[in-house]
Amino acid sequence: MGTVVMHNVASVDGFIADPDDQVGPLHEWYFSGDTAIGPAEDSDFRVPAASARYVGSTWASLGVIVMGRRLFDLTNGWEGHPPAGEHVVVVSHRPKPDGWHPEASYYFVDDLNSAMDTAQRLAGDRVVAVNAGVVGGQILAAGLIDEVAMDIVPVVFGSGRRFFGDVDSQHLLEDPHVVIRSERVLHLRYKVRR
């Protein structure tokens, strides 16, 4: 089975979006750099050179993205084309919208354990990326996350959608094994202590 990594871009004070689900400057570094990354040569993703190798190799390692219904609805599931990985598992009590991109490899699952079983089966030895937020926090609390990856942007939101969602218990992480300082972003990655 592949490694399960909870990931998102976050403000210095730990928010992945403001109270209105707007990301503000959090994702600007994905589009303001000098190095193209992504599945297509004409990709809109242009990150700083210091981020390119890390982000490129991370994206290339992904087999599946696990996300909550809120993010699916906000992004319309990236119109059936996730930025990385081959499959997406959506944790939702509602089914896939009627007629929504029938060709897309998206699976709608209504509980965390089934979602993670589906993601692991689809990913094989590749990485399962779990989007941070409420669902990511629930998967962390269930003990199903191996690593936490954060791309910290130098902005303070003050309130909004928390990286770890509503987690109300303590979870220890090891010292970061990835620390990459880039332009307008700091990449950190931690193993979850067992």
Side-chain angles (χ1 to χ4, degrees), residues 9-15 26 150-157:
V9 178
S11 64
V12 172
D13 55 344
F15 294 100
L26 290 180
M150 306 174 86
D151 300 319
I152 304 296
V153 173
V155 62
V156 175
F157 274 16

Side-chain angles (χ1 to χ4, degrees), residues 150-189:
M150 306 174 86
D151 300 319
I152 304 296
V153 173
V155 62
V156 175
F157 274 16
S159 65
R161 306 289 176 202
R162 295 171 45 200
F163 185 94
F164 292 102
D166 300 326
V167 169
D168 60 0
S169 57
Q170 184 180 61
H171 299 272
L172 294 176
L173 307 177
E174 298 295 343
D175 289 337
H177 62 94
V178 172
V179 179
I180 300 172
R181 182 175 172 248
S182 188
E183 297 168 42
R184 305 300 301 158
V185 63
L186 174 66
H187 305 287
L188 300 170
R189 195 156 167 170

